[in-house]
Amino acid sequence: MLLTEQGLNIAAFDRRLARMLGDKKGEEGDKVLAQALIHGDGAVHLRHWLYCLVASPGSIVRVHLIEKRGNDPDQFIENIELAFGLDKPGEPAPVSDRLHRGAVDAEVSAMLEKVQNIARKYDQKTITEAALTLAIYEQASSSDSRLAGILEAYATEKGLQHFLKYVQTKLRPDRVIDLFAASTDGGTRKLDTSLYSPSGRKFLARLREDAASLGAKRIFTPHLLYSLLGQDRGHLAGALAMRGLDVKRDLHTSLARHLSWAGGRRNDALELDEHSLLGPVQRVLLRAVEISRYETEQPAGEPEISRAFLQACPEALQDVLPANAHVDITALRDYLDTTEPPEVEPEKPLQTFSITEIEGRINDRIRGQHDSVGSVMPWIKRLRFGLSREGRPAGVFLFLGPTGTGKTQLAKELARYVFGDENLLLYLEMGQFQTKESMSGFVGAPPGYVGYGDGKLTNGLRDMPECVVLFDEIEKAHVEVFDSLLRFADEGLISDPAGPIRDGRRCLIVMTTNAGQRWLQQEYFKIDTLDEEPERLAELLGAARRDAKLSELFLDAARSRLQEKGFRPEFIGRLDELVTFLPLDLPICREIVDYQLAMEVARLREAKGIELEIDEGARVFMARESMVRSVREGARCVPRVINQYVINLLIDKLLEEEEKGVATHRAVIRFDGNEIIVEKL
């Protein structure tokens, strides 16, 4: 037993805790006894053990529950006494001159039993301060003691739970954490990213990209803060925004000015290793791992890195705060420690496809453009083979052709099948950049100017260094956009006016244009003089797809139109492939109709349990109708045709049957020579 009639068994406590309680021979526990005497109590109560810990400099309670909140330990004790109605004690009550079983109340005896159980649970040879702290709270919570409620009111429920989690971490055996993975060749060890969650790894990739883009040779604390504040949904940036700060304007711009330098070059050789990560940065990253491991036993994410930064380097944030900003760092740290961070979308594993699968799946999704897909595939093979091009993007393409023939869709499919995720597409609609002023939204603006940090291209490359970059309808962009793209298409690099140089050398760059479509309709097809007779149009479209000179003629017409818009001739020399998409003829339209119908039939079966059949006549009718519309709309017309001639009519028929109380399990769509008819079977 820890407490007998003879006194306190001080040998059961570790040396540090024994000194806090009082370890003089013959006076074991005298510091606990003194707290009862000071506050005029005739017996030792649970709160006196807590006061003893609070009075000990460096104790867990004093440092992490009181001082880190900017509070005074003596005031903390006074507040508890006030809550107990004992703020004005009278004469000291007679207390035993020795701490023994008869000098304590029942709560203390129960607490001492709990502390022994806790020590056994965590396989502690001696009782530690953490075990005693936890036992005091557990006993206060299990009884009707007001102490637990007072502590919760003082620290808030979340704050107290966070503190108790920290206390529990101190009960576990110390585990040495090595930030760096072992080197196989005896060289510099790299950061072990397995210690971090998907959000943590994403942040570390951003940190490396930001520092490299700024030309850094080593990563300092300002680089770490630059990346933390650059995340709009980041934990630290969000907490500062809650306090009325414009993080981008008030803080991030100051760091950008400090870290960027005129004539700076990108440092592609930068790695996150024990040489490049300076000591303070290493301590933050290590602290983040400790916080996450001890609290949740999970890898560390961006929120833990934000919390660790504010715990280890608060002065770095204070240095960039505006003079008129009144931010309480202690309160900010408490907010980060006790507030749930923004939800992060779970990391979706990237799919991997073979070259054969890529080509087959793309041709299945984009009908009638086998030659166009085939002209892109050699560059995909080179990329997959790992044969990088020194100082060049992985591929630069200009997709030309009539609207709706698959240009934009091919870019999307390349993202899906080459990079493994359809979201790895940096889509830039060039109609948004038709003026000189819109350049700030394209590549950003210098620090302090409107548009700082808003560059869609530069920010996109920062977040997705391996992706498809799509410049859709390039002919709509302002001439200065063309000029900025010259270097990007040539070197794969683009400069942000704020300083960073972003890297797109692992990207596929795709530009699309409809330039030349008017020539195709008016000069080649003479569509304005044609009465759009389906038979005659089918002949024209079929002949066009067999015309070996069409691609060259279309290219000449498109080039002429682009030059009128400011597309420089030297831009053509920077392209790897000029890919022409051919207009759709009747057989291709039939393929697309069948493909879309198959999807609609599957949806109807899954949603309503109805089997739908479409006869050959209806399919031919819709293919011919789609072909006529495709001259001006491309393949986009097919879903509209199906919706008009199948889905709308079918829904009307089914609703009519439902009103009669008749269930439908099978329906047929047929063409009677004049119109589409829906039959319920």
Side-chain angles (χ1 to χ4, degrees), residues 206-230 251-267 270 278 281 309 316 320 447 452 496-502:
R206 182 181 183 132
L207 173 63
R208 188 263 167 199
E209 165 59 26
D210 282 341
S213 69
L214 291 165
K217 294 182 179 178
R218 305 189 76 183
I219 298 176
F220 295 80
T221 306
H223 290 112
L224 189 56
L225 183 57
Y226 178 86
S227 295
L228 285 170
L229 296 181
L251 307 178
H252 204 255
T253 54
S254 174
L255 284 165
R257 290 191 184 100
H258 172 64
L259 294 172
S260 61
W261 47 287
R265 293 187 176 184
R266 183 183 173 85
N267 179 16
L270 184 68
L278 293 190
V281 178
F309 182 89
V320 298
Y452 167 79
D496 187 320
I501 300 174
R502 300 301 180 184

Side-chain angles (χ1 to χ4, degrees), residues 176 233 372 395 416 626 636:
V176 177
R233 287 180 53 80
S372 302
R416 184 197 309 270
S626 297
R636 296 185 183 93

Side-chain angles (χ1 to χ4, degrees), residues 458-576:
T458 48
N459 288 349
L461 290 174
R462 174 198 65 198
D463 298 333
M464 296 188 297
E466 295 185 33
C467 68
V468 174
V469 184
L470 172 61
F471 301 104
D472 204 29
E473 298 189 281
I474 189 73
E475 74 276 4
K476 294 183 178 180
H478 189 268
V479 64
E480 287 202 10
V481 173
F482 289 136
D483 292 342
S484 69
L485 289 179
L486 282 172
R487 181 190 181 194
F488 185 53
D490 191 29
E491 301 177 8
L493 301 175
I494 190 81
S495 295
D496 187 320
I501 300 174
R502 300 301 180 184
D503 184 8
R505 287 170 292 185
R506 289 170 288 172
C507 297
L508 294 172
I509 300 173
V510 176
M511 290 166 273
T512 70
T513 179
N514 295 329
Q517 177 157 323
R518 184 176 299 177
W519 168 86
L520 184 69
Q521 292 179 356
Q522 296 180 354
E523 302 295 328
Y524 188 83
F525 285 137
K526 302 186 185 303
I527 198 70
D528 286 346
T529 62
L530 183 67
D531 194 24
E532 296 188 5
E533 298 174 3
E535 293 78 9
R536 175 63 177 151
L537 186 57
E539 292 177 9
L540 281 175
L541 290 170
R545 291 186 65 87
R546 295 189 296 271
D547 187 352
K549 295 182 179 180
L550 177 59
S551 293
E552 186 177 342
L553 292 171
F554 189 89
L555 177 59
D556 289 340
R559 184 186 286 118
S560 175
R561 179 62 177 158
L562 286 171
Q563 287 177 357
E564 292 176 15
K565 291 284 189 176
F567 198 80
R568 297 177 181 273
E570 57 265 33
F571 211 106
I572 301 296
R574 288 167 166 80
L575 301 173
D576 293 317

Side-chain angles (χ1 to χ4, degrees), residues 243-506:
R243 281 150 180 78
L245 287 170
D246 186 324
V247 176
K248 188 183 295 182
R249 184 195 66 196
D250 298 337
L251 307 178
H252 204 255
T253 54
S254 174
L255 284 165
R257 290 191 184 100
H258 172 64
L259 294 172
S260 61
W261 47 287
R265 293 187 176 184
R266 183 183 173 85
N267 179 16
D268 290 321
L270 184 68
E271 296 287 350
L272 301 181
D273 55 40
E274 57 187 346
H275 173 71
S276 67
L277 296 169
L278 293 190
V281 178
Q282 291 187 25
R283 286 193 288 275
V284 170
L285 297 180
L286 178 60
R287 178 69 187 130
V289 175
E290 292 174 341
I291 290 172
S292 187
R293 177 174 291 186
Y294 291 151
E295 290 184 3
T296 64
E297 296 188 349
Q298 298 294 322
E302 183 274 338
E304 286 73 35
I305 297 175
S306 291
R307 290 171 55 192
F309 182 89
L310 206 56
Q311 290 179 17
C313 310
E315 67 287 345
L317 177 60
Q318 288 174 320
D319 288 344
V320 298
L321 286 171
N324 61 347
H326 303 290
V327 178
D328 185 334
I329 297 296
T330 301
L332 182 64
R333 182 167 51 209
D334 186 54
Y335 176 85
L336 291 182
D337 288 347
T338 58
T339 304
E340 288 292 327
E343 285 190 20
V344 178
E345 290 186 11
E347 189 177 46
K348 187 167 66 173
L350 299 180
Q351 293 181 285
T352 303
F353 301 93
S354 68
I355 292 294
T356 303
E357 286 178 317
I358 291 173
E359 188 166 12
R361 287 172 182 254
I362 290 177
N363 278 317
D364 188 52
R365 300 270 293 181
I366 301 175
R367 301 303 176 101
Q369 305 296 348
H370 287 77
D371 290 343
S372 302
V373 174
S375 63
V376 173
M377 288 309 299
W379 302 97
I380 306 306
K381 293 175 183 177
R382 179 183 180 120
L383 177 64
R384 273 301 181 87
F385 189 69
L387 190 59
S388 62
R389 302 196 297 167
E390 190 65 29
R392 290 274 291 158
V396 184
F397 314 110
L398 178 60
F399 291 173
L400 309 106
T403 184
T405 50
K407 301 184 297 297
T408 301
Q409 190 63 36
L410 178 54
K412 295 177 180 179
E413 300 307 326
L414 289 174
R416 184 197 309 270
Y417 295 118
V418 176
F419 293 104
D421 188 343
E422 60 186 3
N423 293 318
L424 290 175
L425 174 74
L426 178 52
Y427 185 97
L428 294 158
E429 188 179 350
M430 303 311 286
Q432 298 178 354
F433 309 109
Q434 298 187 37
T435 64
K436 183 177 180 180
E437 292 73 23
S438 63
M439 279 295 293
S440 61
F442 188 60
V443 294
Y449 288 82
V450 175
Y452 167 79
D454 291 339
K456 290 188 176 181
L457 174 58
T458 48
N459 288 349
L461 290 174
R462 174 198 65 198
D463 298 333
M464 296 188 297
E466 295 185 33
C467 68
V468 174
V469 184
L470 172 61
F471 301 104
D472 204 29
E473 298 189 281
I474 189 73
E475 74 276 4
K476 294 183 178 180
H478 189 268
V479 64
E480 287 202 10
V481 173
F482 289 136
D483 292 342
S484 69
L485 289 179
L486 282 172
R487 181 190 181 194
F488 185 53
D490 191 29
E491 301 177 8
L493 301 175
I494 190 81
S495 295
D496 187 320
I501 300 174
R502 300 301 180 184
D503 184 8
R505 287 170 292 185
R506 289 170 288 172

